[in-house]
Each structure stands twice: as C-alpha cells, then as structure tokens.
Amino acid sequence: MLKRNLLLNIIVFLYCGCTPGVTPEQAFYYWKTTYDTGPAENNALARPGVKSLYLRFFDVDHFPGTEGPVPRGRIQFNAALPAGKEIIPVIFITNRTFLSASDSIADYLPGRVWKLIKQTAAANKIKISEIQIDCDWTQATKKRYFKFLSNLNLLSRINISATIRLHQVKYRKETGVPPVSKGMLMYYNMGTIDASANNSIFDPAIAARYTGNLNEYPLPLDLALPIFGWGIQIRNGEVVQLLNKMERSDLAGDSGFATSADNRQIARHPGFHHGYYFQQGDAIKWETVTPEALLAVPEQLAKHGAGKFGKIVFYDLDAINLNRYEENFFERVAAGFR
Amino acid sequence: MRKIFLKEWLLAFGSIVTIGGIAAWACAGDPLPEYGVSAFAPEAFVDSSYSPFFLSEQNYYQINYDVPAENRFRQENITEWNQYTGNKVSRQALERLLYTATPDNLDSLASREPDWAKWQSVEKDRAKKSLEYLRLAKRSEQYTNPPVADWWDQEKKPAFDSTTVTSFRNAWVKLLETEKDPFLQERCFFQVVRACFFQRDYPGALRYYQKRATDFHEGSLYYRTMSYAAGAAYKQKDFALSNYLYSRVFEGSMTLRIPAHYSFHPQEESDWNKTLSLCRNAREKTVLWQMLGIFYGDEYRSMREIYSLDPKSPKTDILLVRWINKFEQASKYFSTDDYRTMEGFDIPDSTRLKGIRQIADAGNTASPWLWQLVYGYGELLSHKPALAKTYIDRAASRAPATPLAQAQVRLLQVAVTLDNAAAITPQLEQQLLPQLKWLLSLQNSDLPSLRFEDLQLTIRRKIAGLYKRQGIPTKAECFNHEPAFFKDSVFVNNLEQFLNNPKANNYEAFCKIISSVSPEMIREYKAILATYRNDLPRAMSLMQTVEAKETFLYGNPFNGRINDCHDCDHQAKQKISYSKAGFLAALQEMEKQVSAGNDVFNNARLIGNAFYNITHFGNARKFYECRIIGQDIYVVEGIDSAYFATLTEMGYAEKYYRLAMEAANTPEQKAQITFLLAKCERNRWFLQEKEPPVDFIAWKGFRDLKEKYANTRYYQEVLRECGWFRTWAGKPPLASGNR
C-alpha cells in the first residue's frame, strides 16, 4: 500500500511538474460569453505568477425535446487576450447531454466539439496546446462521457484535463476516474443552496468529508478555488433564485432594504433592483469566500496528505470578484501550497 | 416564479450544488398534471387568450417551450393579404405566393395563379406594387430568416454584414417614401424598422418608429413593428420605453403575447416607474401591472394595484386565479399522497385572503362572483367551511351559465356541503347522493379542463373517515379502501353481506358501485387466508368460485432451492404449471399422502416448500396477490401491517420440514432438510425489529449441517451455493463468487 502511494506521488510529482518548495503557478477561469476585460482583470492576469487563462469557449447542452446536443454561448471577443499567457479552452458539457443520448454520442460528439474548438481558436488567433472538459458526470453517464474523452483525445492528439468535483473524489469507485492526463479539483460549491446559515460555496467542514481519500486519487491534480459570490433570494424560507454578479454593496445605499439580525438584507417594499424583482419581506443571503478562508485551504488539504497541485486556479476572473482581494492575494494563496 | 431561470444559472456554474425547496416533481414516468394539485380550473373563468399564463410547472401552460417563429404570423399574414385583394385571391394561392415562391420565380408563379391573374386584371396597379413589395421582402429574408445554422460549424454560418443590410434598408426607406397605398405602406414601414434593427442601428429603428407609428392602424403588423422598436430600445438600455412598448404588444397582439411576456424585463424601480409614467391612460397601466403580476409572481400586489386603478378591470381575473392555484399548492386540504403539489410557492397568508374578501364585499368589480368564489374557496382550503359556504353559494347564483363554470361551482359546493357536516346521517346521505353520482360521472365527462380528481379523492377519504368514526366500517371501506379493516373476519363477512344485499336502498346501491372491493375479491381473499391456516378444503371450495383460480403461478411452488432465486424459478422450464386452484389441489393431495404415510419424506418436504414459497420469501407471491392484499410488493416494508404476519409466517413450512426430517432415512435427506430449516430461521432473523449489526449468524441449521452432515454431497452443494455458509464454514470464497 505504502509502496503504491509512493510510486503514485512520484508520478504525480513528475507529471505535474510540481516541485516541493516552489509556489505553484496561478491561473484564472474566465466564464463570460463575451471576453471583455477591464483594468482589474488585466492587472490580475499580468501578475508574474499567472501563467495561463482557462477560457470557456462554449457550452454543450441537449435541450429536452430537441434533436441533439448543440453548442451554446460561444465566446465573443471585445478585448484582447493577455499576451504571453497560455490560453486553455474549456468546454462545459451538461450531464444531461450524455444522459439523454445513446452510446453513439461518444462517436459523433468529439469531432464536432474539436472542430468548433479549432475554428474558434483559429478565428481569434489563439494557439492551443491543452483543453479542458468540464462535465459533472454521474454513474449513469460515466461510460459515455469517458468514451467521449478517449475519442476526443485520439482525434485531437492534444492534452486534455477534466474537472473533478468533490463527490467524484469521494465516490471514485462508483463514478470512476476519467481517462485524461490531468484533473482539476473544483474545491467549491460544497453545500446546498438554501435558506440556512450555511455557505453553499465554501464550507471546510463539508469539504473535509469529501477529501479523506484525496491523496489516493490516481490523476495529477490542479486546484480550482472560488473567488466568486452571490446572493440568494429567499421568501418564506424557500429559495427564489440566485442573484448573480450582485454584491451586498450594490444595495448599500438603497433605503428599500433593511438589515436583519442575521445580516441578511430584507426588502422593505416590493420592487425591482438590478433586474430582479423582490416581494416585500424577501431576504437576501449573501455568500462570499473570505480571504482568510482561502488562505486556510493549504493547511486543510495537507491534513489529508494532499496538497500537491500543479496549478492553483481561481474561479472566476471578474472585477466584482477581484475587488474583494488584494492584488498579491492570489500568489499568497498559492504560496501556501509550497 | 422564474424556475427555469434558476436552472440556467445552475448550468452556467456547472457545480455539484443542490437546491433546497425547488419544485420537486415526482419520478419520470408519472404523468402528473403540470398544474400540481388543484380543484380550480382557470379555464372556467379566465379568458382563453391568457391560457399560456395559467399557473404551471411548465414554462407556458400546455405549451411548455414556446417554439417560434417561422409560422407564427403565417395565418394572420395570409388573412391580411386576402382582405387586401377583397377576397379575390384565395388563401391557398396566397400561401403559395407568400411562402413558397422565391424572389426569382415569384412573377412567373403569380402569372400562373388564376386568382391572381383575375385580380390583376381588375387592380393592375395594386397587383404590380404588391409583387414589387413581395420580391424585395423575400430578398430581405437573407437577414431576417437566414437558413438554420449548423450549430457546429461556425464557418458555414451565413455572414450577412452591415453593408448588405444597409442596402436593403435604403431600398425600404425609398419604397416607404414613394408608396401611396396604406396597406403596402404599413408593410414598408415594418420592413424599415426591422432592417434598422438587424443593422444594429437601434437609434435609427426608434427614430423611424416614433416618426411614423401613429400613421398606421393597430393591426398585426403594427405590433410586429412595435416589437422591433421595443427590442431596439432594450438594446440601448432604455428599459423604460422597451417595457412600455412590450406591454402595448402584450395587450394588442395575441400572436406576440408570449414573446412580449418573456421580453418584459424591468431593471430598477426607476425605469419601472418611468414605464408607468409613459402610459397614456389607466388601462395601459393595468396591462403593466398584470404583466408584473404574472411574470414576477406577485399576483396579489398586482391585483390590488389594478383594482385601485380601475375596479371593473377584467385584468385581475388571471391574477386572482393564479393566486388561488398557488394557494392550493400550499394548502394541506387535499389528502394526496403522491406528491402532486408544486413546491416552492409562497404561502399566501390570511392577510391576503382578507384583502381579497374586502374586494369581494365591495362588489364593484366586473365579476364580483369570481372574487366571492375565490375567497370562499380560500376559506374552504383554510378549514372554515361555514364561511366558505356563504361566499360560494353567493357566487353560485351569479356565476356564468357555461357548463364548465357551473361544474366548477358545483364541485366546490359538494366539498362545502360535506365539510359543513359533523356526521353522516341518513338525511345527509340522501342529500349527497345526487352530488356523489355526479362526481362519479365526471370520469366520463366532456369537460376535460375540470380538475376534479384531487377533490374527489379528498371527498371520498373524508366520507370514509366520518363513517369510520361513526362505527360504520363497511360504508367507510366502500369510499376508501383500508387494508387494516380486513384483518377482522367479522368485518369481512359484514362487507360481503353488504355487497351482496339484494335489498340495498339507493344510497347503499351507490356504495356498492363505488366500492373497489367486490364480493368475488372477498371470496378470493378468504380462500388465500384459509390456505395460510392450512384449511385446504375451505380454501379450495372458495377458490373454485373466483376467476383467479385460473391465475397461473410463475415458477414451481414446490421447488426448494439452496439459494432463493425467484427469477431463476420463474424462468426455469416447468413440466407442470400450477394455477391457484391447481396448486391447492396438488397441495391437498400431498397432505393426504402424508397422512396415509406414503413417501412421507418427499411429500412433506414438498409441502414445506409450498408453504415457504407462498410467503414473501418464496417464489409464489403470485398466490397471495389480489386486490385486497395487494401486488408487486418487492420489499417486506411494502406489505401492509394487516397481512404482515400471515405473509411472513414460517411456521407451516417448518412443521412440514420437521415431518420430513422424521421420515428421512439417509444423511443426504437429513442434510437437505437441515438446510431448509436454516433458511426458515434466517427469514425469522430478517424480520427482527432492530436491524442486526451483522449480515448473518450461525443458525442452528448451519451448525447442525456442519456437525452432522459434512460428509454428504449436499454439504458440498451448500458450500458452493451459499456464500454465508461457506464463509462461516471457514472456506475461502469462490473465484467467481458464490452464486
């Protein structure tokens, strides 16, 4: 057992190029449909520790009742990509795409996806040497998804990484390990979105329940950490919707909201704010990830013998998110993984 | 409720997040209604033009996804052209010219249409101008109706660029300026605004629109043009104007009502208030409030706003009915067990119900009876039947005379009558009888929109409950089947008598009709119970009188395996198939042989197997499956407590196995019986209250088998086939598993 772990660690160490004592490189995810960065985002990308940008190229989904999987939200560009950084296209595929398909999807989808990736890259003069597939697969879709990945690899001959969510680490035996060269551990969205006092984005206690066997995971891993936040609109103890890309401060000056004892904002009157409609009495529970919480991650993971990550990647690159953290914050987090 | 919105956000984040409290629909395969639990049909009271907005789990009621757009305007477009030609050119001819012809073959096709040619001879100028218009319109489809893209090949996407659209826009502007005919002028106007939109000249689109909009009448094209103007305003972030225009479209155009609904999107209170200020009159404001109420789920606020603007406005109808449909979801009134309610709706509190009463009492709405009915129904759902009766009866006297509305009122009145009764008396029975008969008849009614199922079930359960409380279980059973009743043999006999009574009065006759249990089912049930008591003569005589005697058991009920495998037994070839009656006959024969002392070992063993197999653990569950006991019970927890003991009883199997044991001569025979007895022990062990901490223990049968019969061939078979025994006996597991 010990021997196997040692061998595994050596492989991981060699493959991901992570050397103990060296701060892992940093990266960001960019997840909007139009690439349109401003000073905050550009500065973050310009930091020396940041070597790559994970850029969502498009989603793939199969809308119920329609013919087949289609690409959605293909990236448009309103700004220039950062010079000197590796661009890694990310394709997000919904689980239902594989769920409602026949096994043949693993044969026809890789070609379509690869073609669209190449077209998008060529049209925007992006050189790619690696791609990432983001799919929250389940036991039911495991076979098709993994076959899709193998076929994509055969076809493209390019390095492919896949996102790995916490439940896929814990239940590795049931959900399997995707046939890729590297995984990206998504260390967020740990809890339930509900009216309770929990933080659904980041909860170390919950994460600990999933990472006990992390050091046995047979793929080299990068680590994705959350820097996003959202509001949860609550009515009568039930969730109405997520208030995305909104901040508590957006409503700071708004006399239409009072603050409750548990630090939620309560709508005094019914009305529209930021495109959302609030009924009188609706509450907003804000969830963010504090700098302290992120800085504590290396130690938490080290407890499980994990902590060898090739890259530390932050989700997602957006001025609203970046404003919550100091400029050198990201390398500080990464440094914790030395 | 913007539930679809939420799902889109989940997709965007691609996370493992789960949501608490979002609508939990039952498992796939269950065709539950899209409106959840309900006894109030919007169709009865709200104009059908609003039907897509009736409360539904789907995006649009009975539509779900709004699939546009190519054919959305086809019929009304043909109608307008047909009217323009004074009905001289037929719809079919127009359909061909408008939708099949290309810009290049339009002229030649038109000349080959006799209708067109005839019209042309009378209206030469109009015909010529029409063709000119249509030719340009068809060529404009390059940018208005580009061919469906191959999603996966972006390079193949037809690129129409600004310069292409610009030249079309210029052509349309020129045509608009020179065209004198109002019909064609309006169409050119539409094309101009649309071309600007596709050119992304949003200020231009708005400029043209605002300059000439009042020149045209409010027909279908008018609203299509307005929609483009609304879209242009939105693109420029002039949300106030955009939403105002969408409200005009929502109100004025049936075909565009759904797109206007989902394009309506106020951002801040400031632009919402500005939208309201753009209204030319109170009526336009009521449209806006109605849209807000529907789209953003704040029906109560909207109804009150509309009421204060114009008490007689019918725009509150849909809001009022949506409101009560939501109330139904949260109410605990309906005693349904099968998750029919839509979750995630705020519970309208009693304050709001009082607010509705206020308006009902004021009596100055267009349909006061609707407010009275909704309020009364709300109080019924809140368990205030006296108050409910007052208002529902009041509403009944003035409700519309349509069959659906009358049926809806009557449905609620049945519930009201019942809820106002403390007990069921003979008088109440006679009073309810016609209503109950009517309720039953609804199964075959020609009112498909009437939502009676949930209420009917509730009424039946309530009546059953009353009878039960009053000590009349036979009638209770007729209204609502309750397995626990059937434990009592006195009840069973009483029920049988009641159902067989030739002197039943009219009410009792009705009870007999609606009872889900028939005299024959009772006889079968008694036959089955008798079998489990080993009273075979009685069992056989009763079984002969029912159809189920011909029901064949899957598998051989006399088979006893080491490893219970029902599927294996069911799939194995059988030399003899046993019906329920045949099974009993064979069983009786074997018992006779045992009594006579013939081949006791084999016969007793087979009888033991039979009694084993007719329990839950055996392969002959089919024997006990019947209406009263139930069927397809796959887990022990699924057996109703009334029959649990009977269906899991190992006593008779053990008794006959022991008889076989006494008659056994060889070690092989004894080994076999020992193990069969172990299985019985094991089954008893499974039935313990508290879940045991281990999977199995060394039952007496195991110990005996190992101690006494380890040298038999049978012992080796058990080692091969029973993994637990093998483990306990200390042998390593077999390579392929022990099955």
Side-chain angles (χ1 to χ4, degrees), chain B residues 395-415:
Chain B
S397 59
R398 292 162 69 184
T402 65
L404 185 58
Q406 290 296 311
Q408 177 67 73
V409 173
R410 187 173 179 183
L411 186 64
L412 297 182
Q413 283 179 313
V414 180

Side-chain angles (χ1 to χ4, degrees), chain A residues 53-119:
Chain A
L53 176 64
Y54 286 79
L55 182 61
R56 188 202 67 95
F57 263 25
F58 54 88
D59 297 346
V60 179
D61 193 10
H62 184 172
F63 223 49
T66 61
E67 273 186 46
V70 288
R72 302 185 72 197
R74 187 176 173 229
I75 185 97
Q76 308 289 325
F77 289 90
N78 253 11
L81 285 167
K85 312 284 176 183
E86 192 193 347
I87 308 296
I88 302 173
V90 184
I91 313 303
F92 173 73
I93 310 182
T94 61
N95 190 42
R96 70 179 176 187
T97 303
F98 290 106
L99 204 57
S100 49
S102 67
D103 288 350
S104 64
I105 193 173
D107 298 321
Y108 65 75
L109 193 59
R112 296 186 195 176
V113 168
W114 180 234
K115 179 156 127 184
L116 194 53
I117 293 175
K118 278 194 296 183
Q119 277 183 358

Side-chain angles (χ1 to χ4, degrees), chain B residues 564-691:
Chain B
D564 284 340
C565 174
H566 303 173
D567 287 341
C568 306
D569 284 349
H570 294 178
Q571 280 164 16
K573 260 206 163 67
Q574 281 174 249
K575 280 194 286 237
I576 312 172
S577 291
Y578 292 94
S579 64
K580 291 197 189 189
F583 166 71
L584 288 174
L587 193 61
Q588 191 178 57
E589 181 54 36
M590 288 175 197
E591 286 193 2
K592 281 203 186 110
Q593 296 298 314
V594 167
S595 305
N598 299 331
D599 193 9
V600 175
F601 172 76
N602 278 318
N603 281 308
R605 179 179 57 95
L606 292 178
I607 296 169
N609 287 345
F611 277 109
Y612 184 97
N613 279 325
I614 60 173
T615 67
H616 171 78
F617 302 101
N619 68 16
R621 288 177 186 166
K622 194 111 183 91
F623 179 75
Y624 68 67
E625 286 186 352
C626 64
R627 168 67 179 111
I628 292 176
I629 295 179
Q631 57 189 52
D632 294 334
I633 303 169
Y634 298 121
V635 291
V636 129
E637 293 80 10
I639 305 175
D640 194 283
S641 60
Y643 319 113
F644 193 84
T646 308
L647 297 186
T648 55
E649 178 55 58
M650 290 286 105
Y652 284 101
E654 283 171 341
K655 170 180 169 186
Y656 280 91
Y657 285 149
R658 291 206 178 94
L659 273 176
M661 187 61 142
E662 282 165 22
N665 294 319
T666 70
E668 290 292 342
Q669 290 177 336
K670 292 184 184 171
Q672 188 180 21
I673 301 298
T674 306
F675 189 78
L676 291 171
L677 282 168
K679 282 170 63 183
C680 296
E681 263 188 275
R682 172 202 65 186
N683 292 346
R684 287 186 192 279
W685 196 71
F686 281 154
L687 297 172
Q688 295 177 76
E689 271 292 335
K690 222 172 137 205
E691 198 177 319

Side-chain angles (χ1 to χ4, degrees), chain A residues 265-280:
Chain A
Q265 288 176 290
I266 315 287
R268 279 198 234 259
H269 320 284
F272 293 96
H273 302 269
H274 284 257
Y276 298 107
Y277 181 78
F278 295 89
Q279 288 194 21
Q280 190 167 339

Side-chain angles (χ1 to χ4, degrees), chain B residues 161-339:
Chain B
D161 51 56
S162 302
T163 44
T164 317
V165 188
T166 307
S167 66
F168 276 100
R169 169 197 170 146
N170 294 338
W172 284 118
V173 168
K174 194 150 157 231
L175 203 56
L176 176 62
E177 280 163 11
T178 55
E179 187 53 70
K180 296 284 178 284
D181 183 310
F183 176 80
L184 293 174
Q185 234 188 22
E186 179 164 26
R187 281 172 149 63
C188 293
F189 172 57
F190 163 69
Q191 296 281 3
V192 166
V193 174
R194 184 161 71 166
C196 292
F197 184 87
F198 277 99
Q199 201 188 9
R200 297 179 202 210
D201 177 10
Y202 304 120
L206 279 169
R207 229 179 21 246
Y208 274 108
Y209 175 76
Q210 276 154 345
K211 197 163 86 174
R212 304 275 327 252
T214 45
D215 292 348
F216 301 106
H217 72 292
E218 299 201 0
S220 77
L221 221 59
Y222 182 79
Y223 289 106
R224 291 175 68 181
T225 315
M226 191 186 288
S227 300
Y228 278 104
Y234 189 91
K235 292 280 190 188
Q236 289 199 263
K237 303 205 193 305
D238 186 351
F239 302 113
L241 178 62
S242 174
N243 292 320
Y244 169 68
L245 291 174
Y246 280 128
S247 77
R248 294 274 306 275
V249 174
F250 183 83
E251 172 74 349
S253 166
M254 281 311 307
T255 32
L256 282 166
R257 188 165 267 183
I258 292 180
H261 171 263
Y262 62 65
S263 305
F264 177 72
H265 199 175
Q267 300 291 314
E268 303 283 347
E269 279 299 279
S270 52
D271 59 77
W272 166 248
N273 287 326
K274 191 146 169 251
T275 301
L276 285 168
S277 71
L278 289 173
C279 294
R280 300 172 295 181
N281 49 48
R283 187 193 160 128
E284 291 188 348
K285 290 188 182 172
T286 61
V287 176
L288 281 164
W289 282 111
Q290 189 190 51
M291 290 178 82
L292 184 154
I294 296 172
F295 197 47
Y296 292 98
D298 203 350
E299 290 86 358
Y300 184 75
R301 181 188 181 207
S302 297
M303 330 175 200
R304 299 233 51 147
E305 291 285 352
I306 294 174
Y307 178 72
S308 62
L309 282 166
D310 174 13
K312 294 250 181 284
S313 170
K315 296 214 179 301
T316 48
D317 291 355
I318 170 115
L319 298 167
L320 190 55
V321 177
R322 279 179 61 98
W323 186 88
I324 195 72
N325 284 150
K326 283 188 179 178
F327 199 128
E328 290 179 305
Q329 304 314 310
S331 158
K332 298 284 179 278
Y333 183 84
F334 296 98
S335 48
T336 53
D337 302 331
D338 55 355
Y339 306 105

Side-chain angles (χ1 to χ4, degrees), chain A residues 4 142 167-177 213 216-218:
Chain A
R4 232 175 75 189
K142 172 173 78 175
H167 70 91
Q168 287 146 352
V169 169
K170 178 165 180 173
Y171 300 111
R172 187 177 89 229
K173 293 205 175 70
E174 288 87 339
T175 50
V177 177
N213 58 346
E216 291 167 17
Y217 203 78

